[in-house]
Each structure stands twice: as structure tokens, then as C-alpha cells.
Amino acid sequence: MKRTLLISACLLGISCRYDGKDNELSQNDLRILKDNFTLIPVCPEQLGGLSTPRLPAEIQEDEKVLRKDGVYVDLAFRKGAEAALMIAGLSDCNIALMKENSPSCGNNYIYDGNFNGSLIPGKGITVNLFEKNAIKVYNENEIEKIIKENTNV
Ligand code: SF4
């Protein structure tokens, strides 16, 4: 039986990004993932009740999430993270492939909070919660690694 893998929904081609677009992986990467895992798509920001499209938001120095128009959306981000964690539990899933740089899904880098496109080392709200709950997180540039570490291939 294949292991379950939680995956950022936008990587599967679902148009759930803040700008209504997606981050679909290459057909080759998708085939490799589908051959090796049962994929469970989640978009924490939609799960938190945010609409699509929506204004961009970034994590601030105080770790709160601020929308570009100055409104705090921290609660929605944390609600979405909790919902994604619950889905992981229901799916018996302890690995995740999440979209790098996102304030929810980034696992190594996030935007620096100034809405100018600059990245800093850091983790998204959902990834942070996943890692605190022993879910190992990979990003879209680590497909080879996820296969190597979690399958017999
Ligand atoms: Fe993709 Fe995650 Fe952003 Fe949703 S919250 S659009 S899954 S990066």
C-alpha cells in the first residue's frame, strides 16, 4: 500500500494561490509522485477561510501575519494550519510536500514581511505547526529527496 503524502494543492494545479493562479509541478514530477504516494491536497489559506483571489500576506517580525492592506490575517492562517494538521492526522500522514516561500507552506524561505519580494530563511505557519507535530516537510525542489527517503525505489 502506498504511503500518504500531504501536498500543497497549488502544486497539483489547483488555482488556489492568492492571485488565482497555481504552481503546477511538471507532468513528470506529478507522475513520479502519483506512482509512489497517495496524494492528499491541502491549501491551508483556503482551509482558514480566505477567499481566492485574495490580497498577499506576509509574516512579520513579531510572527503575526499581515495582509498587504495592513489588516492582520493571523487567525485565518492559524486556523488553516490547524485544519491541515487535522487532515494529516485523519490521513495517517507524517510527510508533506509544501510550496516553498509561502507564508503558510514555505519550509526553508519566506518573504521578509515588507512586500518587496525579498526572501529570508524561515518557515510558513502551517509548516511550523507540521514540524512541531513530527510531520517531515519537503518542498517542490526536493522531489528526488522525498522519493529517496520515503520509498524503496
Ligand atoms: Fe499553495 Fe499553500 Fe499558498 Fe495554498 S497556502 S496557495 S497550498 S502555497
Side-chain angles (χ1 to χ4, degrees), residues 29-94:
D29 282 346
L30 285 173
R31 184 189 52 75
I32 292 169
L33 290 170
K34 285 176 189 168
D35 283 351
N36 287 282
F37 301 101
T38 298
L39 303 178
I40 314 283
V42 288
C43 175
E45 290 173 27
Q46 287 191 336
L47 286 168
L50 297 171
S51 60
T52 305
R54 53 191 171 274
L55 285 174
E58 295 188 5
I59 301 174
Q60 304 298 301
E61 265 181 31
D62 61 3
E63 299 191 353
K64 294 227 161 35
V65 188
L66 187 70
R67 210 167 59 186
K68 199 173 179 182
D69 62 354
V71 173
Y72 279 103
V73 283
D74 206 60
L75 203 61
F77 271 67
R78 288 176 201 281
K79 194 174 144 198
E82 291 288 350
L85 181 65
M86 188 183 75
I87 292 170
L90 291 170
S91 315
D92 198 19
C93 182
N94 60 6

Short mmCIF file of all heavy atoms in Angstrom, two decimals, residues 29-94:
data_model
loop_
_atom_site.label_atom_id
_atom_site.label_comp_id
_atom_site.label_asym_id
_atom_site.label_seq_id
_atom_site.Cartn_x
_atom_site.Cartn_y
_atom_site.Cartn_z
N ASP A 29 7.16 15.18 -12.71
CA ASP A 29 7.18 15.15 -11.24
C ASP A 29 5.84 14.64 -10.70
O ASP A 29 5.79 13.87 -9.74
CB ASP A 29 7.45 16.55 -10.68
CG ASP A 29 8.93 16.92 -10.75
OD1 ASP A 29 9.76 16.02 -10.99
OD2 ASP A 29 9.25 18.11 -10.58
N LEU A 30 4.75 15.08 -11.32
CA LEU A 30 3.42 14.63 -10.86
C LEU A 30 3.28 13.12 -11.01
O LEU A 30 2.76 12.43 -10.13
CB LEU A 30 2.31 15.35 -11.64
CG LEU A 30 2.07 16.81 -11.26
CD1 LEU A 30 1.08 17.46 -12.21
CD2 LEU A 30 1.57 16.94 -9.83
N ARG A 31 3.77 12.62 -12.14
CA ARG A 31 3.67 11.16 -12.38
C ARG A 31 4.48 10.40 -11.32
O ARG A 31 4.01 9.43 -10.74
CB ARG A 31 4.17 10.83 -13.80
CG ARG A 31 4.03 9.36 -14.18
CD ARG A 31 4.72 9.04 -15.48
NE ARG A 31 6.11 9.46 -15.53
CZ ARG A 31 7.10 8.85 -14.89
NH1 ARG A 31 6.88 7.77 -14.16
NH2 ARG A 31 8.34 9.30 -14.98
N ILE A 32 5.69 10.87 -11.06
CA ILE A 32 6.55 10.22 -10.05
C ILE A 32 5.84 10.20 -8.70
O ILE A 32 5.80 9.17 -8.00
CB ILE A 32 7.92 10.94 -9.95
CG1 ILE A 32 8.72 10.72 -11.23
CG2 ILE A 32 8.70 10.47 -8.73
CD1 ILE A 32 9.96 11.59 -11.33
N LEU A 33 5.27 11.34 -8.32
CA LEU A 33 4.60 11.42 -7.01
C LEU A 33 3.38 10.50 -6.95
O LEU A 33 3.17 9.77 -5.98
CB LEU A 33 4.19 12.86 -6.72
CG LEU A 33 5.34 13.83 -6.44
CD1 LEU A 33 4.85 15.27 -6.41
CD2 LEU A 33 6.05 13.47 -5.14
N LYS A 34 2.57 10.52 -8.03
CA LYS A 34 1.36 9.70 -8.04
C LYS A 34 1.70 8.21 -8.05
O LYS A 34 0.97 7.39 -7.49
CB LYS A 34 0.49 10.04 -9.26
CG LYS A 34 -0.24 11.36 -9.10
CD LYS A 34 -1.02 11.69 -10.37
CE LYS A 34 -1.58 13.10 -10.30
NZ LYS A 34 -2.08 13.57 -11.60
N ASP A 35 2.81 7.86 -8.69
CA ASP A 35 3.22 6.45 -8.73
C ASP A 35 3.65 5.95 -7.34
O ASP A 35 3.57 4.77 -7.04
CB ASP A 35 4.42 6.26 -9.68
CG ASP A 35 3.97 6.26 -11.15
OD1 ASP A 35 2.75 6.24 -11.38
OD2 ASP A 35 4.85 6.29 -12.02
N ASN A 36 4.14 6.87 -6.52
CA ASN A 36 4.74 6.45 -5.25
C ASN A 36 3.93 6.75 -4.00
O ASN A 36 4.19 6.16 -2.94
CB ASN A 36 6.13 7.10 -5.10
CG ASN A 36 7.15 6.46 -6.02
OD1 ASN A 36 7.65 5.37 -5.71
ND2 ASN A 36 7.41 7.08 -7.16
N PHE A 37 2.98 7.69 -4.10
CA PHE A 37 2.24 8.10 -2.90
C PHE A 37 0.75 8.25 -3.22
O PHE A 37 0.38 8.49 -4.37
CB PHE A 37 2.74 9.46 -2.39
CG PHE A 37 4.20 9.49 -2.02
CD1 PHE A 37 5.13 10.05 -2.88
CD2 PHE A 37 4.64 8.95 -0.82
CE1 PHE A 37 6.48 10.08 -2.55
CE2 PHE A 37 5.98 8.98 -0.47
CZ PHE A 37 6.91 9.55 -1.34
N THR A 38 -0.05 8.17 -2.17
CA THR A 38 -1.44 8.63 -2.27
C THR A 38 -1.42 10.10 -1.86
O THR A 38 -1.07 10.43 -0.72
CB THR A 38 -2.34 7.82 -1.31
OG1 THR A 38 -2.29 6.45 -1.71
CG2 THR A 38 -3.76 8.33 -1.34
N LEU A 39 -1.75 10.97 -2.80
CA LEU A 39 -1.62 12.42 -2.56
C LEU A 39 -2.87 13.00 -1.91
O LEU A 39 -3.99 12.74 -2.35
CB LEU A 39 -1.34 13.14 -3.88
CG LEU A 39 -0.11 12.66 -4.65
CD1 LEU A 39 0.03 13.41 -5.97
CD2 LEU A 39 1.16 12.81 -3.81
N ILE A 40 -2.65 13.79 -0.86
CA ILE A 40 -3.75 14.44 -0.15
C ILE A 40 -3.56 15.96 -0.29
O ILE A 40 -2.70 16.54 0.38
CB ILE A 40 -3.74 14.10 1.37
CG1 ILE A 40 -3.53 12.60 1.62
CG2 ILE A 40 -4.96 14.65 2.08
CD1 ILE A 40 -4.73 11.76 1.38
N PRO A 41 -4.31 16.62 -1.18
CA PRO A 41 -4.12 18.06 -1.37
C PRO A 41 -4.69 18.90 -0.24
O PRO A 41 -5.79 18.61 0.25
CB PRO A 41 -4.86 18.36 -2.68
CG PRO A 41 -5.79 17.23 -2.89
CD PRO A 41 -5.34 16.06 -2.07
N VAL A 42 -3.94 19.91 0.18
CA VAL A 42 -4.46 20.89 1.15
C VAL A 42 -4.01 22.29 0.75
O VAL A 42 -2.89 22.47 0.29
CB VAL A 42 -3.97 20.64 2.60
CG1 VAL A 42 -4.60 19.42 3.22
CG2 VAL A 42 -2.46 20.58 2.70
N CYS A 43 -4.88 23.25 0.91
CA CYS A 43 -4.49 24.66 0.80
C CYS A 43 -4.85 25.30 2.14
O CYS A 43 -6.01 25.61 2.41
CB CYS A 43 -5.23 25.38 -0.33
SG CYS A 43 -4.81 27.15 -0.32
N PRO A 44 -3.87 25.46 3.03
CA PRO A 44 -4.16 25.97 4.37
C PRO A 44 -4.86 27.32 4.36
O PRO A 44 -5.70 27.59 5.22
CB PRO A 44 -2.78 26.07 5.01
CG PRO A 44 -1.91 25.13 4.25
CD PRO A 44 -2.45 25.12 2.86
N GLU A 45 -4.53 28.17 3.38
CA GLU A 45 -5.15 29.51 3.40
C GLU A 45 -6.63 29.43 3.07
O GLU A 45 -7.46 30.10 3.68
CB GLU A 45 -4.37 30.45 2.47
CG GLU A 45 -3.01 30.74 3.08
CD GLU A 45 -2.04 31.52 2.21
OE1 GLU A 45 -2.47 32.29 1.34
OE2 GLU A 45 -0.83 31.35 2.43
N GLN A 46 -6.99 28.56 2.12
CA GLN A 46 -8.42 28.36 1.84
C GLN A 46 -9.09 27.66 3.03
O GLN A 46 -10.20 28.00 3.42
CB GLN A 46 -8.60 27.54 0.57
CG GLN A 46 -8.29 28.33 -0.70
CD GLN A 46 -8.73 27.61 -1.96
OE1 GLN A 46 -8.85 26.39 -1.99
NE2 GLN A 46 -8.93 28.37 -3.02
N LEU A 47 -8.39 26.70 3.62
CA LEU A 47 -8.96 25.99 4.78
C LEU A 47 -9.20 26.95 5.95
O LEU A 47 -10.08 26.73 6.77
CB LEU A 47 -8.02 24.86 5.23
CG LEU A 47 -7.98 23.62 4.33
CD1 LEU A 47 -6.81 22.71 4.73
CD2 LEU A 47 -9.29 22.86 4.40
N GLY A 48 -8.40 28.02 6.00
CA GLY A 48 -8.58 29.01 7.06
C GLY A 48 -9.70 29.99 6.77
O GLY A 48 -9.96 30.89 7.56
N GLY A 49 -10.34 29.84 5.61
CA GLY A 49 -11.49 30.67 5.29
C GLY A 49 -11.19 31.85 4.38
O GLY A 49 -12.05 32.68 4.14
N LEU A 50 -9.95 31.92 3.87
CA LEU A 50 -9.60 33.05 3.00
C LEU A 50 -10.09 32.78 1.58
O LEU A 50 -10.08 31.63 1.12
CB LEU A 50 -8.08 33.27 3.01
CG LEU A 50 -7.52 33.66 4.38
CD1 LEU A 50 -6.00 33.65 4.35
CD2 LEU A 50 -8.02 35.04 4.80
N SER A 51 -10.50 33.84 0.91
CA SER A 51 -11.04 33.67 -0.45
C SER A 51 -9.91 33.63 -1.47
O SER A 51 -8.76 33.97 -1.18
CB SER A 51 -11.98 34.84 -0.75
OG SER A 51 -11.25 36.04 -0.66
N THR A 52 -10.25 33.21 -2.68
CA THR A 52 -9.31 33.23 -3.80
C THR A 52 -9.99 33.94 -4.96
O THR A 52 -11.10 33.54 -5.33
CB THR A 52 -8.94 31.79 -4.23
OG1 THR A 52 -8.45 31.08 -3.11
CG2 THR A 52 -7.88 31.81 -5.33
N PRO A 53 -9.39 34.95 -5.54
CA PRO A 53 -8.10 35.53 -5.14
C PRO A 53 -8.22 36.32 -3.83
O PRO A 53 -9.32 36.59 -3.36
CB PRO A 53 -7.74 36.44 -6.32
CG PRO A 53 -9.04 36.78 -6.96
CD PRO A 53 -9.95 35.62 -6.73
N ARG A 54 -7.05 36.63 -3.27
CA ARG A 54 -7.00 37.40 -2.01
C ARG A 54 -5.75 38.28 -2.05
O ARG A 54 -4.83 38.01 -2.84
CB ARG A 54 -6.93 36.45 -0.81
CG ARG A 54 -5.81 35.42 -0.89
CD ARG A 54 -5.92 34.33 0.15
NE ARG A 54 -4.95 33.25 -0.08
CZ ARG A 54 -5.15 32.22 -0.90
NH1 ARG A 54 -6.27 32.10 -1.56
NH2 ARG A 54 -4.22 31.30 -1.05
N LEU A 55 -5.70 39.27 -1.20
CA LEU A 55 -4.50 40.10 -1.15
C LEU A 55 -3.36 39.29 -0.57
O LEU A 55 -3.57 38.43 0.29
CB LEU A 55 -4.75 41.33 -0.28
CG LEU A 55 -5.63 42.42 -0.88
CD1 LEU A 55 -5.90 43.50 0.17
CD2 LEU A 55 -4.95 43.03 -2.10
N PRO A 56 -2.12 39.55 -1.02
CA PRO A 56 -0.98 38.82 -0.44
C PRO A 56 -0.79 39.17 1.03
O PRO A 56 -1.16 40.26 1.47
CB PRO A 56 0.22 39.27 -1.27
CG PRO A 56 -0.20 40.52 -1.93
CD PRO A 56 -1.70 40.49 -2.06
N ALA A 57 -0.22 38.23 1.77
CA ALA A 57 0.07 38.44 3.19
C ALA A 57 1.48 37.92 3.47
O ALA A 57 1.94 37.00 2.79
CB ALA A 57 -0.96 37.72 4.04
N GLU A 58 2.14 38.52 4.45
CA GLU A 58 3.50 38.06 4.81
C GLU A 58 3.66 38.04 6.33
O GLU A 58 3.02 38.83 7.04
CB GLU A 58 4.55 38.99 4.17
CG GLU A 58 4.52 38.91 2.64
CD GLU A 58 5.68 39.66 1.95
OE1 GLU A 58 6.57 40.18 2.66
OE2 GLU A 58 5.65 39.70 0.71
N ILE A 59 4.53 37.15 6.79
CA ILE A 59 4.80 37.04 8.23
C ILE A 59 5.71 38.20 8.65
O ILE A 59 6.71 38.48 7.98
CB ILE A 59 5.44 35.68 8.55
CG1 ILE A 59 4.51 34.54 8.13
CG2 ILE A 59 5.78 35.57 10.04
CD1 ILE A 59 5.13 33.15 8.26
N GLN A 60 5.33 38.85 9.75
CA GLN A 60 6.09 39.99 10.25
C GLN A 60 7.12 39.54 11.31
O GLN A 60 7.14 38.39 11.72
CB GLN A 60 5.11 41.00 10.88
CG GLN A 60 4.03 41.46 9.92
CD GLN A 60 4.60 42.18 8.70
OE1 GLN A 60 5.27 43.19 8.85
NE2 GLN A 60 4.32 41.67 7.49
N GLU A 61 7.94 40.48 11.74
CA GLU A 61 8.97 40.18 12.75
C GLU A 61 8.39 39.57 14.02
O GLU A 61 9.01 38.74 14.67
CB GLU A 61 9.74 41.45 13.10
CG GLU A 61 11.02 41.57 12.29
CD GLU A 61 11.79 42.82 12.65
OE1 GLU A 61 11.71 43.26 13.81
OE2 GLU A 61 12.46 43.35 11.75
N ASP A 62 7.16 40.02 14.37
CA ASP A 62 6.53 39.50 15.59
C ASP A 62 5.81 38.16 15.34
O ASP A 62 5.06 37.70 16.20
CB ASP A 62 5.53 40.52 16.16
CG ASP A 62 4.39 40.84 15.19
OD1 ASP A 62 4.33 40.23 14.11
OD2 ASP A 62 3.56 41.71 15.53
N GLU A 63 6.03 37.61 14.14
CA GLU A 63 5.46 36.31 13.72
C GLU A 63 3.97 36.35 13.43
O GLU A 63 3.35 35.33 13.18
CB GLU A 63 5.80 35.20 14.73
CG GLU A 63 7.31 35.03 14.83
CD GLU A 63 7.74 33.80 15.59
OE1 GLU A 63 6.87 33.12 16.17
OE2 GLU A 63 8.94 33.53 15.59
N LYS A 64 3.39 37.53 13.45
CA LYS A 64 1.97 37.66 13.06
C LYS A 64 1.89 37.85 11.54
O LYS A 64 2.83 38.38 10.93
CB LYS A 64 1.34 38.85 13.77
CG LYS A 64 1.25 38.65 15.29
CD LYS A 64 -0.12 39.03 15.80
CE LYS A 64 -0.48 38.48 17.14
NZ LYS A 64 0.54 38.34 18.13
N VAL A 65 0.76 37.43 10.96
CA VAL A 65 0.63 37.53 9.50
C VAL A 65 -0.19 38.76 9.14
O VAL A 65 -1.32 38.93 9.62
CB VAL A 65 -0.05 36.27 8.91
CG1 VAL A 65 0.00 36.31 7.39
CG2 VAL A 65 0.62 35.00 9.43
N LEU A 66 0.41 39.60 8.31
CA LEU A 66 -0.21 40.87 7.93
C LEU A 66 -0.54 40.86 6.45
O LEU A 66 0.30 40.46 5.62
CB LEU A 66 0.77 42.01 8.23
CG LEU A 66 0.25 43.43 8.06
CD1 LEU A 66 -0.78 43.77 9.14
CD2 LEU A 66 1.41 44.42 8.13
N ARG A 67 -1.76 41.30 6.10
CA ARG A 67 -2.13 41.42 4.70
C ARG A 67 -1.57 42.73 4.17
O ARG A 67 -1.33 43.66 4.93
CB ARG A 67 -3.66 41.41 4.60
CG ARG A 67 -4.21 40.83 3.34
CD ARG A 67 -5.68 40.57 3.46
NE ARG A 67 -6.44 41.79 3.74
CZ ARG A 67 -7.74 41.82 4.02
NH1 ARG A 67 -8.43 40.69 4.03
NH2 ARG A 67 -8.35 42.94 4.26
N LYS A 68 -1.40 42.79 2.85
CA LYS A 68 -0.76 43.96 2.24
C LYS A 68 -1.49 45.28 2.54
O LYS A 68 -0.88 46.34 2.56
CB LYS A 68 -0.65 43.76 0.72
CG LYS A 68 0.37 44.66 0.09
CD LYS A 68 0.59 44.35 -1.36
CE LYS A 68 1.63 45.33 -1.92
NZ LYS A 68 1.87 45.13 -3.32
N ASP A 69 -2.79 45.21 2.80
CA ASP A 69 -3.55 46.44 3.10
C ASP A 69 -3.51 46.80 4.59
O ASP A 69 -4.24 47.69 5.04
CB ASP A 69 -5.00 46.30 2.63
CG ASP A 69 -5.74 45.17 3.35
OD1 ASP A 69 -5.10 44.43 4.13
OD2 ASP A 69 -6.95 45.03 3.14
N GLY A 70 -2.66 46.09 5.37
CA GLY A 70 -2.50 46.46 6.77
C GLY A 70 -3.41 45.73 7.74
O GLY A 70 -3.40 46.01 8.93
N VAL A 71 -4.19 44.79 7.24
CA VAL A 71 -5.10 44.03 8.12
C VAL A 71 -4.40 42.73 8.56
O VAL A 71 -3.82 42.02 7.72
CB VAL A 71 -6.41 43.69 7.37
CG1 VAL A 71 -7.29 42.76 8.18
CG2 VAL A 71 -7.15 44.98 7.01
N TYR A 72 -4.47 42.44 9.86
CA TYR A 72 -3.90 41.18 10.34
C TYR A 72 -4.80 40.00 9.96
O TYR A 72 -6.01 40.06 10.19
CB TYR A 72 -3.70 41.21 11.86
CG TYR A 72 -2.43 41.93 12.24
CD1 TYR A 72 -2.48 43.22 12.74
CD2 TYR A 72 -1.19 41.32 12.09
CE1 TYR A 72 -1.31 43.90 13.06
CE2 TYR A 72 -0.02 41.99 12.40
CZ TYR A 72 -0.08 43.28 12.89
OH TYR A 72 1.07 43.95 13.20
N VAL A 73 -4.21 38.95 9.38
CA VAL A 73 -4.98 37.76 8.99
C VAL A 73 -4.40 36.53 9.70
O VAL A 73 -4.54 35.40 9.22
CB VAL A 73 -4.98 37.57 7.45
CG1 VAL A 73 -5.95 38.54 6.79
CG2 VAL A 73 -3.59 37.72 6.87
N ASP A 74 -3.76 36.79 10.80
CA ASP A 74 -3.09 35.74 11.56
C ASP A 74 -4.04 34.60 11.94
O ASP A 74 -3.70 33.42 11.81
CB ASP A 74 -2.54 36.38 12.82
CG ASP A 74 -1.37 35.62 13.35
OD1 ASP A 74 -0.38 35.49 12.61
OD2 ASP A 74 -1.48 35.10 14.46
N LEU A 75 -5.24 34.98 12.37
CA LEU A 75 -6.19 33.97 12.84
C LEU A 75 -6.54 32.99 11.73
O LEU A 75 -6.56 31.77 11.94
CB LEU A 75 -7.46 34.69 13.33
CG LEU A 75 -8.30 33.91 14.31
CD1 LEU A 75 -7.51 33.60 15.57
CD2 LEU A 75 -9.56 34.72 14.66
N ALA A 76 -6.81 33.51 10.54
CA ALA A 76 -7.15 32.65 9.41
C ALA A 76 -5.98 31.72 9.06
O ALA A 76 -6.18 30.53 8.77
CB ALA A 76 -7.54 33.50 8.20
N PHE A 77 -4.77 32.23 9.09
CA PHE A 77 -3.60 31.41 8.77
C PHE A 77 -3.44 30.28 9.80
O PHE A 77 -3.10 29.15 9.45
CB PHE A 77 -2.33 32.27 8.72
CG PHE A 77 -2.08 32.85 7.35
CD1 PHE A 77 -2.94 33.80 6.81
CD2 PHE A 77 -0.99 32.46 6.59
CE1 PHE A 77 -2.73 34.34 5.54
CE2 PHE A 77 -0.77 32.98 5.32
CZ PHE A 77 -1.64 33.93 4.80
N ARG A 78 -3.67 30.62 11.07
CA ARG A 78 -3.50 29.59 12.12
C ARG A 78 -4.65 28.58 12.08
O ARG A 78 -4.46 27.38 12.29
CB ARG A 78 -3.35 30.24 13.49
CG ARG A 78 -1.98 30.90 13.57
CD ARG A 78 -1.65 31.68 14.79
NE ARG A 78 -0.58 32.61 14.45
CZ ARG A 78 0.71 32.29 14.36
NH1 ARG A 78 1.11 31.06 14.62
NH2 ARG A 78 1.62 33.17 14.01
N LYS A 79 -5.84 29.05 11.77
CA LYS A 79 -6.99 28.15 11.63
C LYS A 79 -6.74 27.17 10.47
O LYS A 79 -6.99 25.97 10.57
CB LYS A 79 -8.23 29.01 11.34
CG LYS A 79 -9.54 28.30 11.51
CD LYS A 79 -10.68 29.30 11.35
CE LYS A 79 -11.85 28.64 10.66
NZ LYS A 79 -12.79 29.60 10.10
N GLY A 80 -6.21 27.69 9.37
CA GLY A 80 -5.91 26.84 8.21
C GLY A 80 -4.82 25.83 8.53
O GLY A 80 -4.90 24.67 8.08
N ALA A 81 -3.83 26.24 9.29
CA ALA A 81 -2.76 25.32 9.69
C ALA A 81 -3.32 24.19 10.54
O ALA A 81 -2.98 23.01 10.35
CB ALA A 81 -1.67 26.08 10.45
N GLU A 82 -4.20 24.54 11.48
CA GLU A 82 -4.82 23.51 12.35
C GLU A 82 -5.65 22.55 11.51
O GLU A 82 -5.65 21.34 11.75
CB GLU A 82 -5.71 24.18 13.40
CG GLU A 82 -4.97 24.97 14.47
CD GLU A 82 -4.21 24.10 15.47
OE1 GLU A 82 -4.41 22.88 15.46
OE2 GLU A 82 -3.42 24.66 16.24
N ALA A 83 -6.39 23.08 10.53
CA ALA A 83 -7.22 22.22 9.68
C ALA A 83 -6.34 21.28 8.85
O ALA A 83 -6.66 20.08 8.70
CB ALA A 83 -8.09 23.08 8.76
N ALA A 84 -5.23 21.79 8.33
CA ALA A 84 -4.33 20.94 7.54
C ALA A 84 -3.72 19.85 8.43
O ALA A 84 -3.58 18.69 8.00
CB ALA A 84 -3.23 21.80 6.92
N LEU A 85 -3.39 20.22 9.67
CA LEU A 85 -2.85 19.23 10.60
C LEU A 85 -3.89 18.15 10.90
O LEU A 85 -3.56 16.96 10.97
CB LEU A 85 -2.42 19.92 11.90
CG LEU A 85 -1.81 19.00 12.96
CD1 LEU A 85 -0.49 18.39 12.47
CD2 LEU A 85 -1.58 19.77 14.27
N MET A 86 -5.14 18.56 11.03
CA MET A 86 -6.20 17.58 11.29
C MET A 86 -6.34 16.63 10.10
O MET A 86 -6.46 15.41 10.27
CB MET A 86 -7.52 18.30 11.55
CG MET A 86 -8.61 17.37 12.01
SD MET A 86 -10.16 18.23 12.21
CE MET A 86 -10.63 18.45 10.53
N ILE A 87 -6.25 17.15 8.89
CA ILE A 87 -6.34 16.30 7.69
C ILE A 87 -5.17 15.32 7.65
O ILE A 87 -5.34 14.15 7.30
CB ILE A 87 -6.40 17.17 6.41
CG1 ILE A 87 -7.74 17.93 6.38
CG2 ILE A 87 -6.23 16.34 5.14
CD1 ILE A 87 -7.84 19.01 5.32
N ALA A 88 -3.99 15.80 8.03
CA ALA A 88 -2.83 14.90 8.08
C ALA A 88 -3.10 13.75 9.05
O ALA A 88 -2.84 12.58 8.74
CB ALA A 88 -1.58 15.67 8.51
N GLY A 89 -3.65 14.07 10.20
CA GLY A 89 -3.96 13.04 11.20
C GLY A 89 -4.99 12.04 10.67
O GLY A 89 -4.82 10.83 10.80
N LEU A 90 -6.04 12.56 10.04
CA LEU A 90 -7.09 11.69 9.51
C LEU A 90 -6.57 10.81 8.39
O LEU A 90 -7.09 9.72 8.12
CB LEU A 90 -8.26 12.55 8.98
CG LEU A 90 -9.07 13.30 10.03
CD1 LEU A 90 -10.03 14.28 9.35
CD2 LEU A 90 -9.84 12.33 10.92
N SER A 91 -5.52 11.28 7.70
CA SER A 91 -4.96 10.53 6.56
C SER A 91 -3.77 9.67 6.97
O SER A 91 -3.12 9.09 6.11
CB SER A 91 -4.49 11.50 5.48
OG SER A 91 -5.42 12.50 5.24
N ASP A 92 -3.49 9.64 8.27
CA ASP A 92 -2.36 8.87 8.77
C ASP A 92 -1.07 9.25 8.03
O ASP A 92 -0.33 8.41 7.55
CB ASP A 92 -2.67 7.37 8.58
CG ASP A 92 -1.78 6.52 9.46
OD1 ASP A 92 -1.22 7.06 10.42
OD2 ASP A 92 -1.62 5.32 9.15
N CYS A 93 -0.84 10.54 7.95
CA CYS A 93 0.22 11.08 7.10
C CYS A 93 1.26 11.80 7.95
O CYS A 93 0.92 12.66 8.76
CB CYS A 93 -0.45 12.06 6.14
SG CYS A 93 0.69 12.78 4.99
N ASN A 94 2.54 11.45 7.77
CA ASN A 94 3.58 12.15 8.51
C ASN A 94 4.68 12.73 7.61
O ASN A 94 5.77 13.01 8.07
CB ASN A 94 4.17 11.27 9.61
CG ASN A 94 4.79 10.02 9.04
OD1 ASN A 94 4.87 9.86 7.82
ND2 ASN A 94 5.23 9.13 9.91
#
